[in-house]
Amino acid sequence: MGCSFSGLNALYDTVGGGGGDVWVNDYRFRVLRRLGDAGPACSSVLLVKEVVAAAASSDGTAGAEPGAAGIARKKGIHPSHISADGTYALKKVLVQSDQHLELVRQEIRVSSQFSHPNLLPLLEHAIVAVKGVQDGSQNHEAYLLFPVHLDGTLQDVTKTMLEKKEFFPTITVLQIFRQLCSGLKHMHSFDPPYAHNGVKPDNVLITQRKEQSHLAILMDFESAGPARKTIRSQAEALQLQEWASEHCSAHYRPPELWECPSYADIDERTDIWSVGCTLYSMM
């Protein structure tokens, strides 16, 4: 799935803390509030609700329930990812440069390939050309739509529990760990395999379900890409280390990305180290 450009961007400039409307291609959403930042300072996540055009019912009255039309009709979206009340998470990225634009496109290309219950699905996306306010230069904004999970990340849940001097039961730790491994196995099963490169508690969404185990979903594919890299010189090793220092959190970075040998074959096992560190953080 490639990147698409939308001409319906006149209202995008009003998007802030809430109250404005935003179009993502043919789908209209009302911004309810800001959920937080995502990755670099130029990215934010908004809680939005789909605005579905009213349709005449059989008795002649107008009205449509959220999810009855709009994004729910898009092919390829699993019904479990359609919100019952029409709310979603919208990631807004202010693109800073041509290089940044290519990274956003890469994130869209990679995340669009995955279909797994423990990987956050990309429901819709748009990259919009906008003019600079001061100098009139052309910039871009990207909008990525995801299902919303308001219980927070594993980092959020763990922090709250520690403040109460509470800990996950062993069975819950293992259930979360198993789900993360399942999601990574799906990424690693591609030919060539993909590595997430950012597995950490901040990138794991947790949904607490009544009378069921916690649902763990791996998100944020900004750093994801082909897992296997061939290093055959000191220059290539230093280049990989520099990339890792910018994209991989220090506490979850594998040893081969800290001090890469000048002759090495890097592969998807980098994720195994990171998910192991994530397991340790829950214990």
Side-chain angles (χ1 to χ4, degrees), residues 130-153:
V130 294
K131 288 186 177 180
V133 177
Q134 296 181 346
D135 57 7
S137 61
Q138 181 166 292
N139 299 314
H140 292 87
E141 293 178 356
Y143 294 84
L144 285 70
L145 186 74
F146 301 97
V148 67
H149 296 268
L150 295 176
D151 287 347
T153 66

Side-chain angles (χ1 to χ4, degrees), residues 172-235:
T172 301
V173 171
L174 294 177
Q175 288 169 342
I176 292 173
F177 180 65
R178 182 176 182 178
Q179 292 178 74
L180 296 180
C181 289
S182 180
L184 289 174
K185 182 179 179 181
H186 178 74
M187 295 182 66
H188 297 169
S189 67
F190 281 74
D191 185 17
Y194 284 94
H196 185 280
N197 294 317
V199 180
K200 58 181 179 179
D202 280 317
N203 284 338
V204 178
L205 291 168
I206 295 293
T207 297
Q208 303 179 53
R209 302 177 292 185
K210 292 182 179 180
E211 300 180 358
Q212 295 186 62
S213 61
H214 289 55
L215 175 63
I217 298 178
L218 194 58
M219 67 168 182
D220 196 348
F221 299 97
E222 285 186 9
S223 302
R228 297 178 181 176
K229 302 176 179 66
T230 301
I231 305 299
R232 293 295 182 266
S233 68
Q234 184 66 19

